[in-house]
Amino acid sequence: MRKISIFGATGSIGQNTIDLIRRAPGDYNVVALTGGANIAQLAQDARALRADIAVTAYDDKLPELRAALDGSGIVAAAGQAALVEAASRPADWVMSAIVGAAGLAPGLEALKQGATLSLANKELLVCAGALLLETARSHNARLLPVDSEHSAVFQGLVGEDIAAVERVVITASGGAFRDWPLEQLKTATVAQASSHPNWDMGQRITIDSASMFNKALEVIETREFFRVDPDQIEVVVHPESIVHALVGFRDGALMAHLGAPDMRHAIGYALHWPERRELPVERLDLARLAQLTFRAPDPARYPALRLAYDVMARGGLMGAVFNAAKERALDHFIAGRIGFLDMAEVVARVLDQFDSADRGLDEAMTLDTVRRTDHLARMDADNEILKYVR
Ligand code: NDP
Ligand code: MG
């Protein structure tokens, strides 16, 4: 039986992972499940999967979790240290699906144990790519992509020589506002931004899809995962979300990965890798689809995309600045303090401030320097937001 742990088990990716696990209960021995505020879901899944330990990220939720697990024999724990302790428990396969930089310390700890870390949480590669890759290398651990585009690229590279790759094209649905008039974007509400035309995902990534901050993170994720140069990475808007990514080779061939927009494909591929097993996803009927469309992303509509290329050009710890400023801008948008288009403005200003002042961007990348940079960038973003609050 394979030992597995799921970080962010109560979220959208976590629940899709559990759906796959539950179809073959005899194959898995569940070590740790973690969540945040959704204690009922966490306890229910921990009982159903007979996990060894269930952890909530929030200390004040511990009594509720303990009560919900009473009599089950499952250990209940809470807080950041408990998340890292759960990651230190031996597991063969670990799903990293906590949203945001909060997943960094547990992800690094799982790699230190030599686990295969399946990375849904793209923020980790954006804020600490070099550190993650080096930790995986030095502990003989493996990182597998779960983001649909990166899983598609990974599958497109099987048996290929990375040196023969000319370009990588990742697709973007264009998000909730892809067909809105530009001037209307200013007034877009949180509820409007939280509804995705094709994918059913957590609220934060759904809003990031509407602003293309999600694609901006994914461009950086592509660079970190596959070590291609920034000018080899292209984004194309593909409203149907059927083609997830394409890999272009030096002989001109462009290999595409197609599939229904269902994250259980990418999760299942990582779960069973290097095998391919039966997965409960829809089979495409190409004749019924009839057509697939592509268009270039409009830079005026999606300013976040350009920022990703600025971040890659600067290098060092700038990815941590970018991710942290984006997370705070998104918090403030969700709280109603700033408008939809203000998010990219705030992030751009924070990047400028870090670039022009001596903020240690070129220090060695360690958990401490990433955390310090993340903290400073969040403070800068909060200061910027004060200018918008009326
Ligand atoms: P959700 O918001 O649905 O779930 C996030 C999970 O993280 C939940 O279990 C949540 O707990 C937990 N969590 C929230 N805050 C914290 C915290 N501070 N510390 C520890 N745990 C926390 O997100 P998604 O599942 O949509 O996304 C997860 C990751 O996967 C993100 O990085 C996202 O970008 C990426 N991803 C998601 C895709 C999708 O289809 N959803 C597709 C590709 C990538 P609780 O809910 O109990 O509070
Ligand atoms: Mg994606």
Side-chain angles (χ1 to χ4, degrees):
M1 284 221 282
R2 288 171 83 199
K3 288 183 174 223
I4 70 161
S5 290
I6 305 172
F7 287 76
T10 52
S12 164
I13 292 285
Q15 291 293 298
N16 276 309
T17 308
I18 288 173
D19 176 81
L20 294 180
I21 301 296
R22 289 186 80 158
R23 289 164 193 264
D27 292 358
Y28 305 103
N29 182 339
V30 177
V31 179
L33 293 184
T34 87
N38 192 348
I39 300 300
Q41 188 70 54
L42 179 60
Q44 182 191 317
D45 289 331
R47 282 177 183 271
L49 296 170
R50 299 172 186 277
D52 298 342
I53 179 170
V55 186
T56 161
Y58 308 123
D59 292 305
D60 60 347
K61 294 276 180 191
L62 185 56
E64 193 185 335
L65 182 60
R66 277 209 178 110
L69 290 174
D70 191 34
S72 68
I74 299 165
V75 178
Q80 295 308 309
L83 285 173
V84 175
E85 192 279 330
S88 75
R89 295 182 175 224
D92 304 304
W93 188 89
V94 174
M95 169 53 77
S96 169
I98 287 175
V99 62
L104 182 57
L108 283 171
E109 185 59 36
L111 289 174
K112 284 184 187 157
Q113 303 305 321
T116 291
L117 188 68
S118 293
L119 202 67
N121 179 321
K122 64 200 82 184
E123 295 92 328
L124 302 199
L125 274 179
V126 173
C127 69
L131 176 60
L132 228 64
L133 296 175
E134 173 50 27
T135 306
R137 195 197 57 75
S138 60
H139 292 85
N140 227 352
R142 186 177 284 282
L143 274 171
L144 292 176
V146 171
D147 217 347
S148 55
E149 299 77 3
H150 305 76
S151 175
V153 173
F154 188 65
Q155 294 178 50
L157 287 172
V158 172
E160 302 287 355
D161 177 2
I162 190 86
V165 172
E166 205 170 56
R167 60 183 176 140
V168 173
V169 185
I170 59 174
T171 62
S173 68
F177 306 138
R178 63 191 178 204
D179 299 318
W180 278 36
L182 256 186
E183 58 281 10
Q184 218 177 305
L185 287 183
K186 265 192 229 111
T187 59
T189 66
V190 174
Q192 287 163 334
S194 301
S195 135
H196 198 284
N198 308 345
W199 294 90
D200 179 14
M201 308 185 287
Q203 185 191 32
R204 297 181 72 88
I205 183 174
T206 302
I207 299 174
D208 283 349
S209 297
S211 64
M212 280 254 197
F213 265 113
N214 180 51
K215 211 51 54 178
L217 298 175
E218 290 183 359
V219 166
I220 303 174
E221 183 187 13
T222 302
R223 166 154 177 72
E224 297 295 334
F225 242 122
F226 305 107
R227 305 312 304 160
V228 285
D229 291 335
D231 63 6
Q232 292 177 290
I233 307 169
E234 295 169 30
V235 174
V236 66
V237 175
H238 168 48
E240 295 88 356
S241 294
I242 296 293
V243 176
H244 303 302
L246 308 95
V247 185
F249 295 93
R250 61 181 166 209
D251 60 356
L254 197 52
M255 306 291 283
H257 179 284
L258 281 72
D262 182 336
M263 284 309 294
R264 290 176 305 176
H265 174 76
I267 297 168
Y269 186 77
L271 182 62
H272 301 309
W273 182 88
E275 288 173 29
R276 279 193 191 271
R277 294 211 190 148
E278 175 91 18
L279 290 173
V281 298
E282 183 196 330
R283 274 41 176 181
L284 292 179
D285 179 341
L286 293 176
R288 205 161 62 89
L289 277 170
Q291 65 171 8
L292 299 172
T293 56
F294 301 92
R295 60 183 189 240
D298 172 1
R301 183 177 295 271
Y302 301 119
L305 220 43
R306 182 186 54 80
L307 299 179
Y309 289 87
D310 294 348
V311 168
M312 290 187 291
R314 179 57 186 79
L317 289 160
M318 199 56 128
V321 177
F322 183 54
N323 180 65
K326 192 283 295 177
E327 287 196 33
R328 283 311 279 160
L330 178 58
D331 290 341
H332 289 289
F333 173 65
I334 291 173
R337 288 184 208 106
I338 60 173
F340 181 74
L341 291 178
D342 300 333
M343 287 190 285
E345 262 181 40
V346 166
V347 174
R349 291 224 192 94
V350 175
L351 293 178
D352 282 347
Q353 279 159 28
F354 267 80
D355 213 11
S356 52
D358 178 19
R359 307 288 282 277
L361 283 177
D362 295 312
E363 279 181 41
M365 189 182 283
T366 64
L367 183 54
D368 282 345
T369 57
V370 170
R371 277 189 169 146
R372 194 202 57 216
T373 308
D374 175 285
H375 177 69
L376 290 175
R378 281 170 204 263
M379 290 204 311
D380 276 11
D382 287 355
N383 283 334
E384 283 300 323
I385 277 140
L386 290 178
K387 298 176 190 161
Y388 292 82
V389 180
R390 279 160 226 136

